[in-house]
């Protein structure tokens, strides 16, 4: 069982790894750190961390090993040949569900428990209410170290399937980048007539917040497979008007690159006889990718 003095090791001291280690230190956890290149541990050591000379020493120093490296390929390389027996490996490095499952199998075969993680925060948010961290994999291991992991931010356990945290992480990021992509196009359009982004942003925020209110309705359409009920602006109408977004971008001397993929999907869906649906019908196209992609 976990105690308030649970020791923890952090592998990887990039900006996020340093934030994780600092949060553990701030919560009174005895923290061992290790990084592939020297020099990054100094401020943490000054704050009370112990720097291990090798990854083997770092893993041996604590029952809970939190891994925050560039990606899962690096995680596999770093942990190759390391004795993991009796340890819980919590990997919060960026990766795909398939990679998470492969790592979970590799770690389990070496006598350790595996929890995959996704950090929904930037480094300054770690240790605050702004941070949410997603976890999946060994529930006994997660339950054992829940209190220590909660030091980093609000923990959300998604299930025993190791790939779930990576899937949710990347799905949320897909939504974020879609939002940011649209916002960047909007800023560029407003700016093409000399409107400062700071002056445009209040109206953009208000509009996006109002549009986000549609998400529960979209979710219901997608889950039921009925994308033609409760439609207030059908896809055929939207697809007919959408080229104006592309044209105005070009007329204002801007690139429409962020808009073109969505327009292509809208056009394809309407051509397939689904013009009466809502925008959500595009999900069906996303679910059946072209063979050459």
């Amino acid at each position: 069982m976990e105690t308030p003095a649970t020791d923890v090791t952090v592998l990887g001291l990039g900006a996020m790894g340093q934030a994780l280690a600092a949060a553990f230190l701030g919560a009174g956890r005895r923290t061992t750190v290790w990084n592939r290149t020297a020099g990054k541990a100094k401020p943490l050591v000054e704050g009370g961390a112990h720097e291990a000379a090798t990854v083997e020493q770092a893993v041996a120093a604590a029952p809970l090993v939190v891994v925050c490296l560039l990606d899962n390929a690096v995680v596999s390389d770093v942990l190759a040949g390391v004795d993991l027996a009796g340890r819980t490996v919590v990997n919060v490095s960026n990766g795909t569900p398939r990679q998470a499952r492969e790592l979970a199998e590799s770690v389990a075969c070496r006598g350790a428990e595996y929890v995959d993680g996704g950090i929904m925060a930037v480094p300054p948010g770690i240790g605050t209410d702004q941070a949410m961290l997603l976890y999946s994999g060994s529930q006994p291991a997660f339950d054992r170290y829940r209190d220590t992991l909660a030091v980093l931010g609000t923990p959300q356990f998604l299930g025993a399937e190791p790939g779930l945290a990576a899937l949710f992480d990347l799905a949320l990021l897909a939504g974020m980048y879609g939002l940011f992509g649209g916002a960047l196009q909007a800023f560029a359009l407003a700016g093409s007539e000399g409107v400062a982004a700071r002056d445009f942003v209040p109206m953009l925020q208000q509009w996006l917040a109002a549009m986000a209110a549609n998400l529960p309705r979209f979710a219901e359409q997608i889950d039921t497979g009925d994308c033609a009920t409760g439609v207030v602006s059908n896809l055929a109408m939207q697809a007919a008007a959408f080229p104006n977004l592309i044209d105005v971008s070009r007329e204002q001397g801007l690139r429409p690159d962020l808009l073109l993929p969505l327009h292509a999907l809208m056009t394809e869906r309407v051509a397939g006889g689904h013009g009466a649906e809502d925008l959500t019908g595009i999900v069906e196209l996303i679910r059946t990718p072209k063979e050459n992609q």
Side-chain angles (χ1 to χ4, degrees):
M1 295 295 293
E2 183 178 20
T3 70
T6 294
D7 295 349
V8 59
T9 284
V10 176
L11 304 181
L13 297 178
M16 185 60 77
Q18 291 193 39
L20 301 178
F24 287 133
L25 285 171
R29 266 49 175 191
R30 183 180 184 278
T31 305
T32 299
V33 297
W34 174 86
N35 196 61
R36 287 180 297 170
T37 55
K40 292 187 176 181
K42 183 178 179 181
L44 294 167
V45 172
E46 291 174 349
H50 170 71
E51 183 178 13
T54 66
V55 64
E56 289 82 4
Q57 291 176 4
V59 170
L64 176 61
V65 180
V66 177
V67 187
C68 186
L69 297 169
L70 179 62
D71 56 32
N72 281 342
V74 176
V75 174
S76 295
D77 289 343
V78 165
L79 294 182
V82 177
D83 183 6
L84 301 177
R87 299 293 181 266
T88 292
V89 175
V90 177
N91 176 31
V92 295
S93 309
N94 188 262
T96 68
R98 175 187 59 79
Q99 293 168 339
R101 290 189 287 268
E102 291 173 351
L103 276 167
E105 182 177 359
S106 173
V107 166
C109 288
R110 294 150 70 183
E113 293 178 280
Y114 182 84
V115 177
D116 203 70
I119 302 175
M120 309 314 299
V122 293
I126 295 298
T128 74
D129 293 339
Q130 300 172 19
M132 175 176 67
L133 286 88
L134 311 175
Y135 298 101
S136 60
S138 170
Q139 183 154 11
F142 172 79
D143 290 341
R144 187 181 312 124
Y145 295 112
R146 178 190 294 268
D147 290 345
T148 293
L149 295 174
V151 165
L152 306 177
T154 303
Q156 297 282 342
F157 187 75
L158 301 174
E161 162 55 51
L164 282 174
L167 180 66
F168 274 59
D169 178 13
L170 295 174
L172 290 170
L173 288 175
M176 180 195 76
Y177 281 116
L179 173 66
F180 286 174
L184 292 175
Q185 192 75 29
F187 282 130
L189 277 168
S192 69
E193 290 293 341
V195 179
R198 69 177 68 89
D199 294 332
F200 181 65
V201 73
M203 186 178 293
L204 181 60
Q205 282 185 302
Q206 182 180 8
W207 172 249
L208 292 178
M211 292 302 97
N214 288 288
L215 292 178
R217 178 171 63 86
F218 285 178
E220 182 66 19
Q221 290 176 337
I222 292 167
D223 286 344
T224 62
D226 179 4
C227 299
T229 298
V231 177
V232 295
S233 178
N234 69 53
L235 187 60
M237 186 199 73
Q238 293 192 53
F242 200 90
N244 287 330
L245 296 172
I246 297 169
D247 292 343
V248 71
S249 295
R250 288 174 173 151
E251 289 171 4
Q252 297 297 111
L254 306 173
R255 293 172 57 171
D257 301 48
L258 290 167
L259 303 170
L260 298 177
L262 180 56
H263 182 234
L265 288 169
M266 294 169 73
T267 301
E268 181 180 348
R269 188 67 175 170
V270 171
H274 301 279
E277 291 181 344
D278 218 324
L279 187 64
T280 48
I282 289 176
V283 168
E284 295 304 318
L285 294 179
I286 297 171
R287 287 172 171 165
T288 53
K290 295 179 180 178
E291 292 183 0
N292 62 350
Q293 290 181 333

